[in-house]
Short mmCIF file of all heavy atoms in Angstrom, two decimals:
data_model
loop_
_atom_site.label_atom_id
_atom_site.label_comp_id
_atom_site.label_asym_id
_atom_site.label_seq_id
_atom_site.Cartn_x
_atom_site.Cartn_y
_atom_site.Cartn_z
N MET A 400 11.13 -8.05 19.36
CA MET A 400 10.02 -8.97 19.42
C MET A 400 10.51 -10.27 20.04
O MET A 400 11.55 -10.78 19.72
CB MET A 400 9.47 -9.23 18.01
CG MET A 400 8.21 -10.03 18.05
SD MET A 400 7.41 -10.24 16.44
CE MET A 400 7.17 -8.58 15.97
N SER A 401 9.71 -10.81 20.92
CA SER A 401 10.07 -12.05 21.59
C SER A 401 10.04 -13.22 20.62
O SER A 401 9.24 -13.26 19.69
CB SER A 401 9.08 -12.29 22.74
OG SER A 401 9.31 -13.56 23.29
N LYS A 402 10.91 -14.18 20.85
CA LYS A 402 10.95 -15.36 19.97
C LYS A 402 9.70 -16.21 20.15
O LYS A 402 9.36 -16.99 19.28
CB LYS A 402 12.20 -16.18 20.26
CG LYS A 402 13.46 -15.51 19.83
CD LYS A 402 14.65 -16.39 20.10
CE LYS A 402 15.93 -15.70 19.68
NZ LYS A 402 17.10 -16.52 19.89
N ASN A 403 9.02 -16.08 21.29
CA ASN A 403 7.85 -16.90 21.56
C ASN A 403 6.57 -16.33 20.95
O ASN A 403 5.55 -16.99 20.92
CB ASN A 403 7.66 -17.07 23.07
CG ASN A 403 8.83 -17.81 23.69
OD1 ASN A 403 9.49 -18.59 23.03
ND2 ASN A 403 9.10 -17.53 24.95
N ILE A 404 6.60 -15.10 20.52
CA ILE A 404 5.41 -14.46 19.97
C ILE A 404 5.58 -14.32 18.46
O ILE A 404 6.52 -13.71 17.98
CB ILE A 404 5.19 -13.07 20.60
CG1 ILE A 404 5.02 -13.19 22.12
CG2 ILE A 404 4.00 -12.38 19.97
CD1 ILE A 404 4.96 -11.88 22.84
N ALA A 405 4.65 -14.88 17.71
CA ALA A 405 4.69 -14.79 16.24
C ALA A 405 4.22 -13.41 15.81
O ALA A 405 3.30 -12.86 16.39
CB ALA A 405 3.80 -15.87 15.63
N PRO A 406 4.87 -12.83 14.80
CA PRO A 406 4.43 -11.51 14.32
C PRO A 406 3.06 -11.62 13.66
O PRO A 406 2.71 -12.64 13.07
CB PRO A 406 5.49 -11.13 13.30
CG PRO A 406 6.15 -12.40 12.91
CD PRO A 406 6.00 -13.33 14.07
N ARG A 407 2.27 -10.55 13.79
CA ARG A 407 0.96 -10.52 13.15
C ARG A 407 1.14 -10.44 11.64
O ARG A 407 2.13 -9.92 11.15
CB ARG A 407 0.16 -9.31 13.63
CG ARG A 407 -0.21 -9.39 15.07
CD ARG A 407 -1.14 -8.27 15.52
NE ARG A 407 -1.19 -7.13 14.64
CZ ARG A 407 -0.97 -5.89 15.01
NH1 ARG A 407 -0.64 -5.62 16.25
NH2 ARG A 407 -1.08 -4.91 14.15
N GLU A 408 0.15 -10.93 10.90
CA GLU A 408 0.19 -10.91 9.43
C GLU A 408 0.39 -9.49 8.91
O GLU A 408 1.17 -9.27 8.00
CB GLU A 408 -1.09 -11.50 8.87
CG GLU A 408 -1.12 -11.47 7.35
CD GLU A 408 -2.43 -11.98 6.80
OE1 GLU A 408 -3.03 -12.88 7.38
OE2 GLU A 408 -2.85 -11.43 5.77
N SER A 409 -0.28 -8.51 9.53
CA SER A 409 -0.18 -7.13 9.04
C SER A 409 1.23 -6.58 9.22
O SER A 409 1.69 -5.79 8.41
CB SER A 409 -1.19 -6.23 9.73
OG SER A 409 -0.95 -6.18 11.12
N GLU A 410 1.94 -6.99 10.27
CA GLU A 410 3.31 -6.52 10.48
C GLU A 410 4.23 -7.06 9.40
O GLU A 410 5.07 -6.36 8.87
CB GLU A 410 3.81 -6.92 11.86
CG GLU A 410 3.12 -6.18 12.98
CD GLU A 410 3.46 -6.73 14.34
OE1 GLU A 410 4.08 -7.82 14.41
OE2 GLU A 410 3.11 -6.09 15.33
N ILE A 411 4.06 -8.33 9.07
CA ILE A 411 4.88 -8.93 8.02
C ILE A 411 4.54 -8.28 6.69
O ILE A 411 5.41 -7.88 5.94
CB ILE A 411 4.66 -10.46 7.97
CG1 ILE A 411 5.17 -11.10 9.25
CG2 ILE A 411 5.35 -11.06 6.76
CD1 ILE A 411 4.77 -12.54 9.41
N SER A 412 3.27 -8.15 6.39
CA SER A 412 2.84 -7.58 5.13
C SER A 412 3.28 -6.13 4.98
O SER A 412 3.67 -5.71 3.91
CB SER A 412 1.32 -7.69 4.99
OG SER A 412 0.93 -9.03 5.00
N LEU A 413 3.19 -5.35 6.05
CA LEU A 413 3.60 -3.96 5.99
C LEU A 413 5.10 -3.86 5.73
O LEU A 413 5.55 -3.03 4.93
CB LEU A 413 3.21 -3.23 7.28
CG LEU A 413 3.48 -1.73 7.30
CD1 LEU A 413 2.79 -1.03 6.12
CD2 LEU A 413 3.00 -1.13 8.60
N ALA A 414 5.87 -4.71 6.36
CA ALA A 414 7.32 -4.72 6.13
C ALA A 414 7.62 -5.09 4.68
O ALA A 414 8.49 -4.49 4.04
CB ALA A 414 8.00 -5.69 7.08
N GLU A 415 6.89 -6.06 4.16
CA GLU A 415 7.08 -6.45 2.76
C GLU A 415 6.69 -5.32 1.82
O GLU A 415 7.37 -5.05 0.84
CB GLU A 415 6.25 -7.70 2.44
CG GLU A 415 6.78 -8.94 3.11
CD GLU A 415 5.86 -10.14 2.94
OE1 GLU A 415 4.76 -10.00 2.39
OE2 GLU A 415 6.28 -11.23 3.36
N LEU A 416 5.59 -4.63 2.14
CA LEU A 416 5.14 -3.51 1.32
C LEU A 416 6.18 -2.39 1.32
O LEU A 416 6.52 -1.84 0.28
CB LEU A 416 3.80 -2.97 1.84
CG LEU A 416 3.24 -1.75 1.14
CD1 LEU A 416 2.97 -2.06 -0.33
CD2 LEU A 416 1.97 -1.29 1.83
N ARG A 417 6.73 -2.08 2.48
CA ARG A 417 7.77 -1.04 2.55
C ARG A 417 9.00 -1.44 1.74
O ARG A 417 9.60 -0.62 1.06
CB ARG A 417 8.15 -0.79 4.00
CG ARG A 417 7.11 -0.04 4.77
CD ARG A 417 7.54 0.17 6.20
NE ARG A 417 6.56 0.97 6.91
CZ ARG A 417 6.43 0.96 8.22
NH1 ARG A 417 7.23 0.19 8.95
NH2 ARG A 417 5.52 1.70 8.81
N GLY A 418 9.38 -2.71 1.83
CA GLY A 418 10.52 -3.19 1.06
C GLY A 418 10.27 -3.10 -0.43
O GLY A 418 11.14 -2.69 -1.20
N ASP A 419 9.07 -3.49 -0.85
CA ASP A 419 8.71 -3.40 -2.27
C ASP A 419 8.79 -1.95 -2.75
O ASP A 419 9.31 -1.67 -3.83
CB ASP A 419 7.30 -3.95 -2.52
CG ASP A 419 7.22 -5.46 -2.34
OD1 ASP A 419 8.28 -6.11 -2.32
OD2 ASP A 419 6.09 -5.96 -2.23
N CYS A 420 8.27 -1.04 -1.96
CA CYS A 420 8.29 0.39 -2.33
C CYS A 420 9.73 0.90 -2.41
O CYS A 420 10.08 1.64 -3.33
CB CYS A 420 7.50 1.21 -1.32
SG CYS A 420 5.73 0.91 -1.40
N ALA A 421 10.56 0.51 -1.46
CA ALA A 421 11.95 0.95 -1.47
C ALA A 421 12.69 0.44 -2.70
O ALA A 421 13.50 1.17 -3.30
CB ALA A 421 12.65 0.48 -0.20
N ARG A 422 12.39 -0.79 -3.12
CA ARG A 422 13.04 -1.33 -4.31
C ARG A 422 12.53 -0.65 -5.59
O ARG A 422 13.25 -0.53 -6.57
CB ARG A 422 12.83 -2.84 -4.39
CG ARG A 422 13.72 -3.61 -3.43
CD ARG A 422 13.61 -5.10 -3.65
NE ARG A 422 12.31 -5.63 -3.32
CZ ARG A 422 11.88 -5.89 -2.07
NH1 ARG A 422 12.68 -5.66 -1.05
NH2 ARG A 422 10.68 -6.38 -1.87
N MET A 423 11.28 -0.21 -5.60
CA MET A 423 10.70 0.41 -6.79
C MET A 423 11.03 1.89 -6.91
O MET A 423 11.02 2.44 -8.01
CB MET A 423 9.18 0.24 -6.79
CG MET A 423 8.73 -1.17 -7.06
SD MET A 423 9.31 -1.80 -8.66
CE MET A 423 8.57 -0.65 -9.77
N ALA A 424 11.33 2.56 -5.81
CA ALA A 424 11.55 4.01 -5.81
C ALA A 424 12.55 4.47 -6.88
O ALA A 424 12.29 5.47 -7.56
CB ALA A 424 11.97 4.49 -4.43
N PRO A 425 13.67 3.79 -7.08
CA PRO A 425 14.61 4.25 -8.11
C PRO A 425 14.03 4.18 -9.53
O PRO A 425 14.52 4.85 -10.43
CB PRO A 425 15.79 3.29 -7.98
CG PRO A 425 15.71 2.73 -6.61
CD PRO A 425 14.24 2.68 -6.30
N HIS A 426 12.98 3.41 -9.72
CA HIS A 426 12.39 3.25 -11.05
C HIS A 426 11.30 4.28 -11.34
O HIS A 426 10.85 4.40 -12.46
CB HIS A 426 11.80 1.85 -11.22
CG HIS A 426 12.82 0.76 -11.02
ND1 HIS A 426 13.78 0.47 -11.96
CD2 HIS A 426 13.05 -0.06 -9.97
CE1 HIS A 426 14.55 -0.52 -11.51
NE2 HIS A 426 14.13 -0.85 -10.30
N TRP A 427 10.86 5.00 -10.31
CA TRP A 427 9.80 5.99 -10.49
C TRP A 427 10.39 7.26 -11.07
O TRP A 427 11.39 7.78 -10.59
CB TRP A 427 9.10 6.28 -9.18
CG TRP A 427 8.35 5.11 -8.63
CD1 TRP A 427 7.87 4.05 -9.33
CD2 TRP A 427 8.02 4.87 -7.27
NE1 TRP A 427 7.24 3.17 -8.50
CE2 TRP A 427 7.32 3.64 -7.22
CE3 TRP A 427 8.23 5.56 -6.09
CZ2 TRP A 427 6.83 3.11 -6.04
CZ3 TRP A 427 7.74 5.03 -4.93
CH2 TRP A 427 7.05 3.82 -4.90
N VAL A 428 9.77 7.77 -12.08
CA VAL A 428 10.25 8.99 -12.73
C VAL A 428 9.27 10.11 -12.44
O VAL A 428 8.06 9.95 -12.57
CB VAL A 428 10.34 8.77 -14.27
CG1 VAL A 428 10.77 10.04 -14.96
CG2 VAL A 428 11.28 7.63 -14.57
N VAL A 429 9.79 11.26 -12.07
CA VAL A 429 8.94 12.42 -11.82
C VAL A 429 8.62 13.05 -13.17
O VAL A 429 9.52 13.39 -13.93
CB VAL A 429 9.67 13.44 -10.91
CG1 VAL A 429 8.81 14.67 -10.70
CG2 VAL A 429 10.04 12.79 -9.59
N PRO A 430 7.33 13.21 -13.49
CA PRO A 430 6.97 13.79 -14.78
C PRO A 430 7.42 15.25 -14.88
O PRO A 430 7.38 15.98 -13.91
CB PRO A 430 5.45 13.68 -14.83
CG PRO A 430 5.01 13.39 -13.45
CD PRO A 430 6.18 12.84 -12.70
N ALA A 431 7.84 15.63 -16.07
CA ALA A 431 8.31 17.00 -16.31
C ALA A 431 7.16 17.95 -16.54
O ALA A 431 7.33 19.16 -16.49
CB ALA A 431 9.25 17.01 -17.50
N THR A 432 5.97 17.43 -16.79
CA THR A 432 4.82 18.28 -17.07
C THR A 432 4.10 18.68 -15.79
O THR A 432 4.38 18.15 -14.72
CB THR A 432 3.82 17.55 -17.99
OG1 THR A 432 3.38 16.37 -17.33
CG2 THR A 432 4.47 17.17 -19.31
N ALA A 433 3.16 19.58 -15.95
CA ALA A 433 2.35 20.03 -14.81
C ALA A 433 1.45 18.89 -14.34
O ALA A 433 1.33 17.85 -14.99
CB ALA A 433 1.50 21.21 -15.23
N ALA A 434 0.80 19.09 -13.22
CA ALA A 434 -0.10 18.08 -12.65
C ALA A 434 -1.20 17.74 -13.66
O ALA A 434 -1.68 18.62 -14.38
CB ALA A 434 -0.71 18.60 -11.35
N PRO A 435 -1.60 16.49 -13.73
CA PRO A 435 -2.65 16.10 -14.67
C PRO A 435 -4.00 16.71 -14.31
O PRO A 435 -4.25 17.04 -13.15
CB PRO A 435 -2.69 14.58 -14.56
CG PRO A 435 -2.10 14.28 -13.23
CD PRO A 435 -1.12 15.38 -12.94
N THR A 436 -4.84 16.83 -15.30
CA THR A 436 -6.19 17.34 -15.09
C THR A 436 -7.00 16.30 -14.32
O THR A 436 -6.94 15.11 -14.65
CB THR A 436 -6.87 17.61 -16.45
OG1 THR A 436 -6.03 18.46 -17.21
CG2 THR A 436 -8.22 18.23 -16.28
N PRO A 437 -7.75 16.72 -13.31
CA PRO A 437 -8.56 15.76 -12.55
C PRO A 437 -9.55 15.04 -13.46
O PRO A 437 -10.08 15.60 -14.41
CB PRO A 437 -9.30 16.63 -11.53
CG PRO A 437 -8.49 17.88 -11.45
CD PRO A 437 -7.86 18.08 -12.79
N VAL A 438 -9.82 13.80 -13.13
CA VAL A 438 -10.78 12.98 -13.88
C VAL A 438 -12.08 12.95 -13.09
O VAL A 438 -12.07 12.78 -11.87
CB VAL A 438 -10.24 11.55 -14.05
CG1 VAL A 438 -11.27 10.66 -14.71
CG2 VAL A 438 -8.95 11.57 -14.83
N THR A 439 -13.19 13.10 -13.78
CA THR A 439 -14.47 13.04 -13.09
C THR A 439 -14.71 11.62 -12.57
O THR A 439 -14.37 10.64 -13.23
CB THR A 439 -15.64 13.43 -14.02
OG1 THR A 439 -15.66 12.54 -15.11
CG2 THR A 439 -15.48 14.85 -14.53
N PRO A 440 -15.28 11.50 -11.38
CA PRO A 440 -15.50 10.17 -10.79
C PRO A 440 -16.32 9.23 -11.67
O PRO A 440 -16.13 8.02 -11.63
CB PRO A 440 -16.24 10.48 -9.49
CG PRO A 440 -15.80 11.86 -9.14
CD PRO A 440 -15.62 12.57 -10.46
N SER A 441 -17.20 9.77 -12.49
CA SER A 441 -18.03 8.91 -13.34
C SER A 441 -17.21 8.17 -14.39
O SER A 441 -17.65 7.17 -14.95
CB SER A 441 -19.13 9.73 -14.03
OG SER A 441 -18.54 10.70 -14.88
N LEU A 442 -15.98 8.64 -14.67
CA LEU A 442 -15.11 7.98 -15.65
C LEU A 442 -14.23 6.90 -15.03
O LEU A 442 -13.59 6.14 -15.74
CB LEU A 442 -14.24 9.01 -16.36
CG LEU A 442 -14.98 10.03 -17.23
CD1 LEU A 442 -14.00 11.04 -17.80
CD2 LEU A 442 -15.75 9.34 -18.33
N ILE A 443 -14.20 6.86 -13.71
CA ILE A 443 -13.36 5.87 -13.02
C ILE A 443 -14.21 4.64 -12.74
O ILE A 443 -15.20 4.69 -12.04
CB ILE A 443 -12.81 6.44 -11.70
CG1 ILE A 443 -11.99 7.69 -11.98
CG2 ILE A 443 -11.99 5.39 -10.97
CD1 ILE A 443 -11.54 8.43 -10.73
N HIS A 444 -13.80 3.51 -13.33
CA HIS A 444 -14.52 2.27 -13.10
C HIS A 444 -13.59 1.09 -13.35
O HIS A 444 -12.54 1.22 -13.96
CB HIS A 444 -15.75 2.18 -13.99
CG HIS A 444 -15.43 2.17 -15.46
ND1 HIS A 444 -14.63 3.09 -16.07
CD2 HIS A 444 -15.79 1.31 -16.44
CE1 HIS A 444 -14.52 2.83 -17.36
NE2 HIS A 444 -15.21 1.74 -17.61
N GLY A 445 -13.97 -0.05 -12.83
CA GLY A 445 -13.18 -1.25 -13.04
C GLY A 445 -11.98 -1.39 -12.13
O GLY A 445 -11.10 -2.20 -12.38
N VAL A 446 -11.91 -0.59 -11.07
CA VAL A 446 -10.79 -0.68 -10.15
C VAL A 446 -11.09 -1.77 -9.12
O VAL A 446 -12.16 -1.78 -8.51
CB VAL A 446 -10.55 0.67 -9.43
CG1 VAL A 446 -9.44 0.54 -8.40
CG2 VAL A 446 -10.25 1.75 -10.43
N THR A 447 -10.18 -2.70 -8.96
CA THR A 447 -10.34 -3.74 -7.96
C THR A 447 -9.15 -3.73 -7.02
O THR A 447 -8.03 -3.38 -7.41
CB THR A 447 -10.46 -5.14 -8.60
OG1 THR A 447 -9.28 -5.39 -9.38
CG2 THR A 447 -11.67 -5.25 -9.50
N VAL A 448 -9.42 -4.07 -5.79
CA VAL A 448 -8.37 -4.12 -4.77
C VAL A 448 -8.29 -5.55 -4.27
O VAL A 448 -9.30 -6.11 -3.83
CB VAL A 448 -8.71 -3.17 -3.60
CG1 VAL A 448 -7.65 -3.26 -2.50
CG2 VAL A 448 -8.85 -1.75 -4.09
N PRO A 449 -7.09 -6.17 -4.32
CA PRO A 449 -6.96 -7.53 -3.81
C PRO A 449 -7.34 -7.59 -2.33
O PRO A 449 -7.10 -6.65 -1.57
CB PRO A 449 -5.47 -7.85 -4.00
CG PRO A 449 -5.00 -6.88 -5.03
CD PRO A 449 -5.86 -5.66 -4.87
N VAL A 450 -7.95 -8.69 -1.92
CA VAL A 450 -8.40 -8.87 -0.54
C VAL A 450 -7.25 -8.67 0.44
O VAL A 450 -7.40 -8.02 1.47
CB VAL A 450 -9.04 -10.26 -0.36
CG1 VAL A 450 -9.38 -10.52 1.10
CG2 VAL A 450 -10.29 -10.36 -1.21
N ALA A 451 -6.08 -9.21 0.13
CA ALA A 451 -4.93 -9.07 1.03
C ALA A 451 -4.54 -7.61 1.22
O ALA A 451 -4.21 -7.19 2.32
CB ALA A 451 -3.74 -9.87 0.50
N SER A 452 -4.62 -6.81 0.16
CA SER A 452 -4.30 -5.39 0.28
C SER A 452 -5.34 -4.66 1.10
O SER A 452 -5.01 -3.79 1.91
CB SER A 452 -4.20 -4.76 -1.11
OG SER A 452 -3.14 -5.33 -1.84
N ALA A 453 -6.60 -5.00 0.91
CA ALA A 453 -7.67 -4.37 1.68
C ALA A 453 -7.51 -4.70 3.16
O ALA A 453 -7.68 -3.83 4.02
CB ALA A 453 -9.03 -4.84 1.17
N ARG A 454 -7.15 -5.96 3.48
CA ARG A 454 -6.92 -6.35 4.88
C ARG A 454 -5.75 -5.57 5.46
O ARG A 454 -5.79 -5.15 6.61
CB ARG A 454 -6.65 -7.84 4.99
CG ARG A 454 -7.89 -8.69 5.04
CD ARG A 454 -7.59 -10.10 5.58
NE ARG A 454 -6.29 -10.62 5.21
CZ ARG A 454 -6.06 -11.49 4.22
NH1 ARG A 454 -7.05 -11.93 3.50
NH2 ARG A 454 -4.84 -11.91 3.98
N LEU A 455 -4.70 -5.37 4.67
CA LEU A 455 -3.53 -4.65 5.15
C LEU A 455 -3.91 -3.22 5.52
O LEU A 455 -3.60 -2.74 6.61
CB LEU A 455 -2.43 -4.64 4.07
CG LEU A 455 -1.23 -3.74 4.36
CD1 LEU A 455 -0.46 -4.26 5.58
CD2 LEU A 455 -0.33 -3.68 3.16
N ILE A 456 -4.62 -2.54 4.63
CA ILE A 456 -5.02 -1.16 4.90
C ILE A 456 -6.00 -1.11 6.07
O ILE A 456 -5.92 -0.23 6.92
CB ILE A 456 -5.65 -0.53 3.64
CG1 ILE A 456 -4.62 -0.45 2.51
CG2 ILE A 456 -6.22 0.85 3.94
CD1 ILE A 456 -3.39 0.37 2.83
N ASP A 457 -6.92 -2.06 6.13
CA ASP A 457 -7.90 -2.11 7.21
C ASP A 457 -7.22 -2.29 8.56
O ASP A 457 -7.68 -1.77 9.57
CB ASP A 457 -8.90 -3.23 6.96
CG ASP A 457 -10.05 -3.19 7.93
OD1 ASP A 457 -10.54 -2.07 8.22
OD2 ASP A 457 -10.47 -4.26 8.38
N SER A 458 -6.11 -3.00 8.59
CA SER A 458 -5.43 -3.26 9.86
C SER A 458 -4.56 -2.09 10.32
O SER A 458 -4.08 -2.09 11.44
CB SER A 458 -4.57 -4.52 9.76
OG SER A 458 -3.46 -4.30 8.89
N MET A 459 -4.41 -1.09 9.48
CA MET A 459 -3.62 0.08 9.86
C MET A 459 -4.53 1.06 10.61
O MET A 459 -5.40 1.68 10.01
CB MET A 459 -3.00 0.75 8.63
CG MET A 459 -2.02 -0.15 7.91
SD MET A 459 -1.49 0.52 6.32
CE MET A 459 -0.64 2.00 6.82
N ALA A 460 -4.33 1.18 11.91
CA ALA A 460 -5.22 1.97 12.75
C ALA A 460 -5.31 3.43 12.31
O ALA A 460 -6.38 4.03 12.35
CB ALA A 460 -4.74 1.90 14.20
N GLU A 461 -4.24 4.01 11.85
CA GLU A 461 -4.25 5.43 11.51
C GLU A 461 -4.88 5.70 10.14
O GLU A 461 -5.23 6.82 9.82
CB GLU A 461 -2.84 6.03 11.55
CG GLU A 461 -1.90 5.53 10.46
CD GLU A 461 -1.21 4.24 10.81
OE1 GLU A 461 -1.47 3.64 11.85
OE2 GLU A 461 -0.38 3.81 10.00
N TYR A 462 -5.07 4.68 9.32
CA TYR A 462 -5.63 4.88 8.00
C TYR A 462 -7.13 5.12 8.10
O TYR A 462 -7.88 4.34 8.65
CB TYR A 462 -5.37 3.66 7.10
CG TYR A 462 -5.80 3.88 5.67
CD1 TYR A 462 -4.98 4.54 4.78
CD2 TYR A 462 -7.03 3.44 5.23
CE1 TYR A 462 -5.36 4.75 3.47
CE2 TYR A 462 -7.43 3.64 3.93
CZ TYR A 462 -6.60 4.30 3.06
OH TYR A 462 -6.99 4.52 1.77
N GLY A 463 -7.57 6.24 7.58
CA GLY A 463 -9.00 6.55 7.54
C GLY A 463 -9.59 7.02 8.84
O GLY A 463 -10.78 7.30 8.93
N ASP A 464 -8.79 7.12 9.89
CA ASP A 464 -9.32 7.60 11.18
C ASP A 464 -9.26 9.10 11.25
O ASP A 464 -8.49 9.76 10.68
CB ASP A 464 -8.54 7.00 12.34
CG ASP A 464 -8.83 5.51 12.50
OD1 ASP A 464 -9.83 5.05 11.95
OD2 ASP A 464 -8.04 4.84 13.18
#
């Protein structure tokens, strides 16, 4: 990247997200049980997505295409 061109917010955020995931990976434990039973959509409520996260996903061209 050229020194004269500032990186886009999504590039910085994506790099930070990858770094966060890499640091957390050793803490994730694989469950010993079988896959959980699916939950009906009517029971899922109260989920919120921070605006910055939504912008990050929205800026990823391959996501949802």
